[in-house]
Amino acid sequence: MSQEQPSVLRLIWQTNYLRNLMLLCILAFVAIPVLERFWVYPQFVQSVLTDIEQEAQRLGGHLAHPLVESPLGIRKDRLPQNFLKTIDQFTKEFNLEKVKVFNSDGLIVYSTDAKDIGRINNKPYFTQQVAQGVPFTKLVRRQQASMEGSFQTKDVVETYVPIVKSGHFFGAFELYYNVSDRLLNLEQVVRRTSYAMLALIATLALLLFIVLLKAMGQMGQTAEKISKLGEREALLSRIVTHVQDALVVIDQQGQIVYWNRAAKRIFGYEETEVLGQPVHRLLAPLRFREQAERGFQQFQKSGQATMVVGRTVEIQGMCKGGKELPVEISANQFDYHGQSWVVATVRDISLRKEVEHHLKLSSSIMQYAKDGILVTDTNACIEMANPAMTELTGYSTEELLGQPTSLLNSGRHDHAFFARMWQTLLKSGSWSGELWNRHKEGEILPHWLSISDIKDQSGKRTHFVAIFTDIGQRKAAQANLEQLAFYDALTAIPNRILFKERLNQGIREAGRRDGILAVLFLDLDLFKQVNDSYGHDIGDRLLQEVAKRLQSLLRSEDTVARLGGDEFAIVLRQLAEAPDDVALVAQKIIDFLSMPFPIGPESCQIGASVGISFYPKHGTDSESLVKKADQAMYAAKNSGRNRYRFALVDKPPTP
C-alpha cells in the first residue's frame, strides 16, 4: 500500500490533465465556501430584503389610502375609522413585529408599541431619503433576552415606506419583519448547497480520476463509456431544450421521471413525492381522471400521446391537497432507446383567468347596465359608451366615440359650474351631482351624474368613468309632491302652508330693510248663496275665477293664497308707503270681485270683505298679523260687507 501511493501521486503529477484536475478540485474546495460566505449568501439576503421591501410597499399602499384623504395630514387624533383594526389585521396576516406611523415631520403618531408614540425620527436616512418618497430598508441584528435569562440573536428588517400622494409627502410607515428564521433557513440551504456541490465535485473528481486512471490501461472501454456519457448528455440536452416554465418528463408508462422546482411551486409536491408516480393519478382532478387514464393507456400501447402533444392547451390541474387550478400545457414527444417520452412545460394561468373573468364581467356590466356609462380619456373625449347611454342621449355608439363630453351640454349650466366640477374631480378623484343634458333631438333631460377617475399601477390618472342615471320621472314626481304639498288643489294657487312660509320670508326681509309688509284677509260675500243656488260645481269654478282675478291684480313679488272655503289671504311685500297704497289695492280688489262672473250659462254676483294688518305696526310674527287681519275682515263684514277695514292697534295695559 505504501509503495503504490507514491506511484499514483507521481502519475497524477506527471500527467498534465490529471494534475490540472487535481488543482481544479483543490481550488473548488477553497473557492466554493468563500463564494458561499461572501457572495451567494449576501445575494440571497439582499433578495430577501428586496422582497420584504416590495411587500412592505404594497402593505403601505393599502394602509395609506385613508390617511391621505384628510387635508390636515396625518395626526394622532385624526386617524381614520377602522385604521387601527386594519393595522392589527395586517400585523397578524403578514407576521409583523411592529408597525409605526410617522407624520411628515417624522413624529410617531401611532405605533403598535405605545412607548414609541411621540418620538421623532430625525435621522439622515429619514429626512434625506424617506421624506423624498424613497423607501429605506435595513437589516438589524439585535440581542434579545429569553425567559431563561440568556440572550438570543434576532434579525429584524426595518422598512420605511413613504406615504406620498400627488407628489406630496404625508408621512411614512415603519414595518418590522422578524427574519431570523428565514435567514437561518436560508443560511442552512446555502450551506447545504455548498456541501452538496463540494460532495458532487469530490465525487465527480474521484470518478474522473478512476475513469482516467483506468482509461490509461483500458482504452477500448474508455471509448464505450464516453459514448454512453455523450448519449446521456444528449438526453439531458433535449430535456433542457424543451423547458419553459414547470418541467415534467414522463416515460412510456406514464410515470414522472423528472420534476423541476417550478413544478414543485405550482403543484406543491416535492420531487421525492412524484418520481415514479403516474402523472394522471397525481395531477388530474377526479372528474377528469378516467379520461386521462384512457389517454395514458393508449400512450403505453402505441407510444403516441394525442391529447396534448404537439399543441398548447388549457386544462384543469390538481395541486397537492386536491385544490384545482387552471394551467396551460405545452407538450412534445420524442423517442429514446426505443421508448417514447413526453416532456411538458406547465404554466399556472390562474391570474390570467382571473383577469379574463374580470374583463368579461366588466363587459357584461357595460352591456346590460340600465344606467348610461361613458369612459373618457383625461381630456374628456369619449372612448367607450354602453347601449343604455345611446338610449339616454339618442346618439349611436359611433356618433359618441371620439367626441368630447361637451356634445351633451344643455346650456343650463354656466362655466363656473363646470369649473367647480372639474376642480372637485381632479382633487378628490370623484364627483356626483344633478346635471341637465341635451338629447340628440334637442330635449333637455335631467340626469344624476357620478364621475370617478381610473389610475394605472403607478397611480397616474388614465381615464374617467361616468355613470348617468335618468331622474326625469323622479323630478316629475317631486314636482307633483311639491304641488300637492304647497298649492291648493282647486285653484292651483298657494295653500295655507306656502302662504305662511312666504309671509315669514317677507317678515324677515322687511325686518332686514326696516320695510313695511301688509297682510290682506279676504272673505267672499254671498258665496254661500251661489253654492246653494247653482250647486258646488259652479261654486268651485267661481273660486277658480276669483283666484285668477286676484293674481291678475298683484305684482310678481306678492302672494295670494286660498286658506280654505271662500277665504283668501294676500301678502304685499316691499311697500313704499302705507296705508294709502294698500287701501287702493284693497279697494281695487273689492271693485274687481264685485263685477259679475260669467260661468257657463250663469252669471254670478259676489263681493268681498277685506281686513288689513301691517308689519310691524300690528305684529312682528305671522300669527299676529293673520289674526289682526282676520279681525279687521270681520269688522268690515259687520259694517256692511263689500268693504275693507284696517286692524286696530292694541292699547298698552293701564298701569
Side-chain angles (χ1 to χ4, degrees):
M1 188 77 177
S2 61
Q3 293 176 353
E4 291 180 0
Q5 186 173 2
S7 61
V8 173
L9 293 176
R10 189 180 300 112
L11 178 62
I12 294 174
W13 190 255
Q14 290 176 352
T15 307
N16 289 336
Y17 54 85
L18 292 178
R19 182 177 66 248
N20 294 338
L21 181 60
M22 182 180 68
L23 293 175
L24 182 62
C25 292
I26 294 173
L27 179 62
F29 272 85
V30 174
I32 288 177
V34 172
L35 286 173
E36 178 265 332
R37 179 61 183 164
F38 296 101
W39 189 79
V40 177
Y41 180 73
Q43 290 295 320
F44 278 111
V45 171
Q46 184 59 43
S47 177
V48 170
L49 294 181
T50 301
D51 291 343
I52 289 177
E53 182 173 288
Q54 292 175 353
E55 179 179 300
Q57 291 185 57
R58 289 193 295 271
L59 293 180
H62 286 295
L63 293 170
H65 284 300
L67 294 178
V68 299
E69 298 298 328
S70 172
L72 300 177
I74 302 175
R75 293 175 52 178
K76 177 182 178 183
D77 57 345
R78 291 186 177 272
L79 293 176
Q81 284 187 329
N82 296 326
F83 178 72
L84 302 185
K85 182 178 179 181
T86 302
I87 285 187
D88 183 63
Q89 178 184 354
F90 278 19
T91 301
K92 293 177 180 177
E93 285 183 8
F94 296 93
N95 197 23
L96 300 177
E97 278 210 340
K98 186 190 292 188
V99 178
K100 295 180 184 178
V101 181
F102 297 83
N103 66 9
S104 58
D105 298 324
L107 177 69
I108 300 175
V109 300
Y110 172 77
S111 173
T112 52
D113 186 354
K115 295 184 293 185
D116 297 331
I117 298 176
R119 297 179 181 176
I120 295 180
N121 189 336
N122 52 11
K123 298 293 181 64
Y125 64 79
F126 188 91
T127 57
Q128 299 175 10
Q129 183 170 335
V130 179
Q132 302 303 317
V134 181
F136 178 76
T137 301
K138 61 180 179 178
L139 176 64
V140 180
R141 177 158 289 184
R142 296 177 175 173
Q143 295 292 329
Q144 183 178 18
S146 66
M147 297 180 63
E148 293 79 13
S150 60
F151 286 86
Q152 297 178 344
T153 301
K154 180 169 67 173
D155 294 314
V156 178
V157 175
E158 300 177 12
T159 300
Y160 291 80
V161 180
I163 303 173
V164 178
K165 182 178 181 184
S166 302
H168 178 67
F169 176 67
F170 282 80
F173 292 100
E174 185 180 2
L175 308 178
Y176 288 70
Y177 292 81
N178 185 350
V179 295
S180 301
D181 293 338
R182 195 184 304 187
L183 294 184
L184 179 60
N185 293 335
L186 180 61
E187 184 176 5
Q188 291 175 349
V189 170
V190 173
R191 185 165 295 127
R192 284 197 297 267
T193 304
S194 178
Y195 290 159
M197 292 179 64
L198 292 174
L200 179 61
I201 291 173
T203 302
L204 290 175
L206 180 60
L207 291 174
L208 287 174
F209 276 128
I210 294 173
V211 170
L212 291 173
L213 287 173
K214 288 185 177 181
M216 297 178 67
Q218 302 175 1
M219 298 299 295
Q221 296 179 4
T222 301
E224 184 180 355
K225 291 180 179 179
I226 292 175
S227 176
K228 290 182 178 180
L229 182 60
E231 291 175 358
R232 185 174 181 83
E233 289 176 351
L235 173 62
L236 294 175
S237 176
R238 290 194 181 189
I239 294 174
V240 172
T241 300
H242 294 86
V243 168
Q244 295 180 9
D245 294 294
L247 177 66
V248 181
V249 181
I250 306 162
D251 62 16
Q252 192 164 334
Q253 285 69 43
Q255 297 177 346
I256 299 172
V257 296
Y258 185 81
W259 185 263
N260 72 342
R261 234 180 240 182
K264 172 189 171 183
R265 171 177 53 80
I266 293 174
F267 294 102
Y269 290 102
E270 296 288 345
E271 184 179 12
T272 55
E273 296 179 276
V274 300
L275 293 182
Q277 297 295 322
V279 66
H280 58 281
R281 296 180 186 173
L282 202 64
L283 304 182
L286 292 175
R287 54 199 174 102
F288 301 126
R289 190 160 298 173
E290 183 178 350
Q291 178 184 357
E293 191 162 358
R294 286 198 303 268
F296 277 106
Q297 287 175 355
Q298 178 186 353
F299 177 58
Q300 290 174 3
K301 293 178 182 179
S302 64
Q304 297 295 321
T306 59
M307 293 176 57
V308 296
V309 171
R311 57 200 179 103
T312 299
V313 296
E314 295 180 5
I315 63 173
Q316 287 294 116
M318 185 176 69
C319 299
K320 183 179 182 180
K323 179 183 176 182
E324 293 188 16
L325 79 161
V327 294
E328 182 182 82
I329 294 182
S330 298
N332 285 293
Q333 182 178 343
F334 62 93
D335 295 330
Y336 180 72
H337 276 197
Q339 289 192 6
S340 294
W341 304 73
V342 173
V343 57
T345 55
V346 184
R347 178 173 300 165
D348 182 359
I349 57 173
S350 301
L351 180 59
R352 190 178 80 193
K353 286 294 184 182
E354 184 178 353
V355 171
E356 290 175 355
H357 171 73
H358 285 303
L359 289 174
K360 186 176 180 181
L361 181 61
S362 299
S363 177
S364 298
I365 292 173
M366 287 283 291
Q367 183 71 21
Y368 298 108
K370 293 183 178 180
D371 293 333
I373 302 176
L374 285 182
V375 178
T376 75
D377 61 15
T378 53
N379 295 320
C381 287
I382 301 170
E383 293 187 357
M384 190 180 299
N386 71 335
M389 194 65 201
T390 64
E391 187 175 341
L392 282 177
T393 63
Y395 291 97
S396 66
T397 303
E398 293 73 17
E399 291 175 317
L400 289 172
L401 296 184
Q403 296 296 322
T405 54
S406 58
L407 174 71
L408 306 176
N409 284 359
S410 64
R412 295 189 60 168
H413 305 286
D414 57 15
H415 176 75
F417 172 84
F418 289 106
R420 290 192 300 270
M421 181 188 76
W422 278 102
Q423 182 181 12
T424 301
L425 179 59
L426 296 177
K427 183 178 180 181
S428 65
S430 63
W431 180 89
S432 61
E434 188 176 301
L435 190 74
W436 291 82
N437 286 321
R438 186 181 299 276
H439 192 272
K440 182 181 179 181
E441 302 300 329
E443 184 181 2
I444 297 177
L445 302 172
H447 295 143
W448 183 264
L449 175 60
S450 298
I451 311 176
S452 298
D453 61 6
I454 302 174
K455 297 179 180 177
D456 59 18
Q457 293 181 347
S458 64
K460 180 181 177 181
R461 182 182 289 112
T462 60
H463 293 83
F464 294 102
V465 58
I467 301 176
F468 295 78
T469 303
D470 184 2
I471 58 173
Q473 293 183 351
R474 189 174 75 187
K475 296 286 287 185
Q478 181 180 351
N480 289 336
L481 288 175
E482 290 180 356
Q483 183 71 24
L484 292 173
F486 298 110
Y487 290 87
D488 179 55
L490 178 63
T491 61
I493 63 176
N495 60 12
R496 185 183 296 272
I497 296 174
L498 185 55
F499 169 77
K500 185 175 181 181
E501 180 180 328
R502 291 188 179 177
L503 175 56
N504 287 328
Q505 181 181 356
I507 290 172
R508 290 192 296 271
E509 180 185 273
R512 288 193 301 268
R513 300 182 179 183
D514 291 330
I516 301 172
L517 176 145
V519 176
L520 281 66
F521 201 99
L522 285 75
D523 185 84
L524 301 182
D525 298 329
L526 305 177
F527 178 73
K528 186 175 183 304
Q529 287 85 333
V530 173
N531 258 345
D532 294 341
S533 300
Y534 303 112
H536 290 286
D537 289 342
I538 297 298
D540 289 345
R541 292 177 62 184
L542 176 60
L543 291 175
Q544 292 171 344
E545 293 300 322
V546 168
K548 291 178 182 179
R549 289 191 183 185
L550 291 175
Q551 285 180 307
S552 67
L553 292 173
L554 301 177
R555 303 167 301 174
S556 60
E557 61 265 28
D558 300 328
T559 298
V560 57
R562 181 184 177 215
L563 304 185
D566 60 348
E567 291 183 342
F568 293 82
I570 298 173
V571 179
L572 301 179
R573 300 164 61 176
Q574 302 178 9
L575 298 176
E577 297 182 8
D580 294 339
D581 290 346
V582 177
L584 291 175
V585 174
Q587 188 59 53
K588 186 183 294 185
I589 290 172
I590 293 170
D591 294 341
F592 205 25
L593 295 183
S594 298
M595 297 172 62
F597 287 86
I599 300 175
E602 311 298 339
S603 179
C604 303
Q605 186 82 34
I606 60 171
S609 298
V610 181
I612 305 171
S613 63
F614 293 98
Y615 168 90
K617 181 178 181 181
H618 299 115
T620 57
D621 58 83
S622 59
E623 288 79 6
S624 299
L625 293 173
V626 172
K627 181 179 179 181
K628 291 288 187 180
D630 187 25
Q631 292 173 350
M633 182 274 294
Y634 276 106
K637 191 175 286 287
N638 292 332
S639 62
R641 298 182 179 177
N642 213 33
R643 61 192 65 200
Y644 65 85
R645 287 289 183 267
F646 292 110
L648 300 176
V649 178
D650 292 335
K651 295 181 179 180
T654 304

